[in-house]
Amino acid sequence: PALCRAKWARPKGMETDEVCDCLLEAANMSSLKEKSTQFTPKKNTDFPMLSRTTKGATHTMPILRGKNVLLRPYRRSDLPGILSWTNDTEATRYLTEIFDQPYTEKNGEDFLNYALSGGSDRMMFVMADPVTEEYWGQISLERISRRDGTAEVGVVLAKEEHRGKGIGREALSLLLRYAFDTLGCKALWCGYYEGNNKSLRVQQKCGFTPHHVERDVPCELMGDMRTEYFTYLTREDWRRQAQCE
C-alpha cells in the first residue's frame, strides 16, 4: 500500500501556528502573509521552474526529473488519477490523513484547489510518468517552518503496479535533494503506522532514522487504534549518505 504518511509527522509538543517563522537559508520569503510572499529557490538550481501566481502570491514550482519518475506541479487533469485510489481502502489504510468516505469528485476538486493554491508553508508535487507525465501519486513537503528549518514529508504511490520498483525511493530522493540543497532545510520529519513495512524500508534507504513512537493513536479512517513511528533526517546525515553512494 501507500509508502508514507499523508498527514504530517511533526511530533506532539512541536505543533505551532507559526509554521512560516524560521529561516530557510535558500528561500526569499519577504512576509509571513501569503498575499505578499514571494518564494525564490536558489539561482543555481538545475531544476526547470514553473511560476504560479495565486491570490497575489508567486510560488515558483520546480520540475524534478529522475530516471524513472517525474515530480511536477498539480494540474486540473489530475483529478481522475486522484479519484482512482482515494476510495481504495487497501491504498489508504496506512495513511493518517482523514478521507471522507466515499471520497467524492467534490472532495477531489477541493483537494486540487488546495494543491494549486500554493503557499509558503508547502510544496506539493505529483509523481508522474517521466515520459507521458501521467499521474502516478503524490509527494509533498508540508508545514515548512522558517523558524526551525524543518518540513514534513508525505508520499502516496497510488497504483499497485508502480510499487516495489524503486519509484517511491527515487521520488523521495529527488524531493530530499530539493529540500536540502535548494530550499536549505536543516531537517525533515516522516513516519509510518506499525505494519507499513514498505514505507519503513523506503525511509530507511533514504536515510531517515527512528526518532520516537506514539502508541494508541486513533485512526479515524479505519476506526481503530494504531502505533505510529516517527523518523527524522538531518541535512548533514543526508549529505554523508550521498557521499557514500
Side-chain angles (χ1 to χ4, degrees):
L3 290 173
C4 301
R5 305 167 40 121
K7 189 175 181 181
W8 316 108
R10 190 178 302 277
K12 292 179 180 179
M14 290 189 67
E15 291 89 352
T16 174
D17 292 329
E18 302 179 78
V19 293
C20 298
D21 192 29
C22 91
L23 177 63
L24 285 179
E25 298 170 357
N28 171 21
M29 297 183 180
S30 59
S31 169
L32 297 182
K33 296 181 179 179
E34 182 172 337
K35 290 185 178 179
S36 61
T37 299
Q38 175 142 357
F39 177 80
T40 308
K42 284 182 178 178
K43 297 294 185 181
N44 64 353
T45 178
D46 59 355
F47 300 131
M49 298 293 172
L50 295 178
S51 293
R52 175 180 298 136
T53 301
T54 308
K55 296 181 180 179
T58 300
H59 306 280
T60 304
M61 288 292 294
I63 297 174
L64 314 184
R65 188 176 295 276
K67 180 180 179 181
N68 300 300
V69 67
L70 175 77
L71 306 191
R72 61 163 175 80
Y74 280 84
R75 301 167 181 166
R76 292 288 176 191
S77 58
D78 293 324
L79 182 59
I82 294 169
L83 296 176
S84 71
W85 65 271
T86 43
N87 282 307
D88 180 357
T89 55
E90 189 65 20
T92 60
R93 67 192 178 108
Y94 285 124
L95 304 184
T96 61
E97 190 68 70
I98 298 172
F99 289 89
D100 291 332
Q101 296 293 316
Y103 192 90
T104 66
E105 185 171 335
K106 177 63 164 56
N107 294 135
E109 290 171 348
D110 289 344
F111 172 78
L112 265 179
N113 288 335
Y114 173 77
L116 291 167
S117 68
S120 59
D121 63 342
R122 62 187 184 271
M123 302 288 287
M124 303 177 68
F125 298 90
V126 164
M127 289 189 288
D129 185 297
V131 178
T132 66
E133 301 191 2
E134 173 193 0
Y135 175 99
W136 281 355
Q138 49 207 60
I139 184 168
S140 305
L141 293 171
E142 290 272 352
R143 295 185 182 177
I144 298 173
S145 171
R146 291 171 59 197
R147 185 178 66 186
D148 54 19
T150 62
E152 301 171 5
V153 177
V155 184
V156 178
L157 195 52
K159 295 183 179 180
E160 183 67 34
E161 65 193 78
H162 296 134
R163 300 174 193 147
K165 298 180 178 179
I167 293 172
R169 180 185 179 184
E170 183 176 350
L172 184 54
S173 296
L174 288 170
L175 188 72
L176 296 181
R177 178 187 171 197
Y178 179 71
F180 289 128
D181 273 356
T182 301
L183 296 186
C185 289
K186 298 177 181 178
L188 297 175
W189 293 95
C190 199
Y192 59 96
Y193 277 144
E194 186 174 43
N196 193 355
N197 295 323
K198 291 182 180 180
S199 176
L200 169 61
R201 286 194 295 269
V202 170
Q203 292 176 48
Q204 288 176 331
K205 289 177 180 178
C206 288
F208 283 87
T209 56
H211 189 270
H212 70 284
V213 179
E214 292 182 8
R215 304 188 187 279
D216 297 323
V217 177
C219 177
E220 296 186 38
L221 177 63
M222 302 303 292
D224 58 12
M225 306 293 284
R226 303 286 183 90
T227 297
E228 197 167 3
Y229 295 85
F230 294 85
T231 61
Y232 191 68
L233 177 63
T234 66
R235 181 171 57 197
E236 290 74 19
D237 287 343
W238 172 78
R239 285 178 174 169
R240 277 194 290 269
Q241 176 170 308
Q243 289 173 354
C244 295
E245 292 180 348

